[in-house]
Amino acid sequence: ASPYRLQPGSILEIPRQLLRAATASVDYVHGDAHVQRSGATASATRGMALQEGDRLELTPNAFVAVKLADGSTVHVQSASQVELSQLRRRGRAGSLQSVLEVQSGGVEIQVPGKPDPQRQLEVITPVAATSVRGTVFDVQLAPEGHTTAAVLQGRVAVQALADVDQPTPSALLRKHTGIAVSAQGQAGTVSPLLPAPTTQDLPALNEDAQWLNLPMPAWEQAKGWRVRVSQDAQGHQVLRSGQFTGPLARFAAVDDGNYFLHVRAIDAQGISGIPATAPLRVKAHPVPPLVQTPAPAGVLAQGEAQLQCTPVDGVVQYRHQVI
């Protein structure tokens, strides 16, 4: 009779959309990345403010790191589309409620501090929902439609969405475990991640001026490799990233300098393994000249020998050796 009169013991339910809105920001961007908001598109720039409903679209070889209001970092991988479906906060300084929808590609997430039971962070794909309580993990949506999740720290609950009305029970992923959910929404079994390759098996030097060629270890249990090249050891400032099934990871060339190589083996289910990080030196310039004379296996008369090579742009001197 009096809807504004609250009786002791009553439960007041507040819709989530009425919670205080939170914001996020672009912490790092490399390459061609865009933000769609209310039908308008803008280039992603470092420090750019993001809000609920924004969608990030990344081209190949583009990378974006998004900082959420609680300090969590979302690393959006190249050729991905991710929507910030929900950014809300309970109260003026309450816990953050975030929902990310991966429409293609993948994300890697780092949540700082101790696990917070009030914090809600979900990553949703068309076939799975991942709930987090303070951890380091990644979610990948393959072009074929299946989803994989791998946990490096903490715990993650993954729920397959084969039937929205009757979803399957959540699978709990602990440290160094992963799971795959099929394109039909059927969850596989929780399995341990493949170990990290040793740094001695990873390339340390690249001298090719046209390509960044990185040979991978010969592992029978590895069905592929997820490879990244970054400017920092933590892997936040990514310059190149890709997934490869053969023994060679090949990227477009980068400038000469010191970088870091991050490699994860991929098992038969498509789940990423434990990462290995190793320093990578690129020294491809000046490019080596080509020998013009003498010809290979050529015979020259005494006193008529001439050593000549092709010119190289930007070089003022050449060193010749006869062995």
Side-chain angles (χ1 to χ4, degrees):
S2 180
Y4 294 104
R5 182 179 181 183
L6 301 180
Q7 297 294 331
S10 299
I11 297 177
L12 183 63
E13 296 184 357
I14 301 177
R16 185 170 294 170
Q17 61 268 23
L18 296 183
L19 296 178
R20 187 182 182 90
T23 59
S25 61
V26 176
D27 193 53
Y28 170 79
V29 60
H30 173 80
D32 193 12
H34 297 88
V35 177
Q36 281 196 355
R37 177 184 302 168
S38 301
T41 301
S43 297
T45 58
R46 188 170 185 178
M48 181 180 186
L50 302 175
Q51 62 188 34
E52 185 176 278
D54 287 354
R55 185 172 71 170
L56 292 164
E57 295 185 349
L58 279 64
T59 60
N61 283 332
F63 311 94
V64 171
V66 175
K67 185 77 71 174
L68 301 182
D70 65 350
S72 300
T73 302
V74 180
H75 300 279
V76 185
Q77 300 173 3
S78 61
S80 296
Q81 292 187 6
V82 177
E83 181 175 332
L84 307 178
S85 299
Q86 185 180 119
L87 295 175
R88 297 281 166 169
R89 185 182 292 280
R90 292 182 177 179
R92 293 184 178 274
S95 59
L96 192 67
Q97 316 294 299
S98 306
V99 178
L100 310 177
E101 183 178 342
V102 177
Q103 299 168 345
S104 64
V107 295
E108 295 183 6
I109 297 179
Q110 295 181 342
V111 182
K114 298 180 180 179
D116 181 4
Q118 300 299 321
R119 174 198 287 144
Q120 177 187 349
L121 176 56
E122 292 185 359
V123 180
I124 299 176
T125 71
V127 296
T130 305
S131 300
V132 184
R133 291 293 185 268
T135 187
V136 178
F137 73 106
D138 71 85
V139 175
Q140 306 291 331
L141 177 59
E144 299 79 14
H146 66 270
T147 295
T148 62
V151 177
L152 300 179
Q153 293 181 17
R155 296 185 297 175
V156 167
V158 178
Q159 188 175 61
L161 303 178
D163 187 345
V164 178
D165 297 328
Q166 294 181 342
T168 59
S170 299
L172 183 62
L173 303 184
R174 301 181 184 275
K175 182 179 179 179
H176 291 173
T177 62
I179 195 173
V181 180
S182 70
Q184 293 73 37
Q186 301 296 328
T189 59
V190 178
S191 58
L193 303 182
L194 289 180
T198 60
T199 55
Q200 291 80 4
D201 294 335
L202 301 179
L205 177 65
N206 180 80
E207 296 179 306
D208 193 325
Q210 295 183 344
W211 297 99
L212 182 58
N213 291 316
L214 304 172
M216 294 291 102
W219 278 20
E220 183 178 353
Q221 66 269 37
K223 305 306 178 182
W225 300 93
R226 184 162 285 118
V227 184
R228 291 187 300 166
V229 177
S230 69
Q231 294 177 309
D232 62 321
Q234 294 74 26
H236 296 167
Q237 301 175 13
V238 180
L239 299 177
R240 299 289 186 270
S241 178
Q243 182 173 323
F244 305 89
T245 57
L248 180 68
R250 170 174 282 188
F251 298 108
V254 296
D255 295 336
D256 288 2
N258 296 314
Y259 302 92
F260 290 91
L261 179 62
H262 311 270
V263 178
R264 302 177 69 174
I266 301 175
D267 66 13
Q269 302 181 76
I271 303 172
S272 304
I274 301 173
T277 300
L280 176 64
R281 171 71 174 167
V282 176
K283 182 64 176 72
H285 296 87
V287 297
L290 300 177
V291 176
Q292 289 185 316
T293 58
V299 178
L300 300 175
Q302 185 176 4
E304 295 181 0
Q306 183 182 19
L307 306 180
Q308 186 174 358
C309 63
T310 57
V312 178
D313 291 341
V315 174
V316 296
Q317 291 183 339
Y318 296 86
R319 180 183 180 186
H320 296 270
Q321 285 184 304
V322 178
I323 300 177

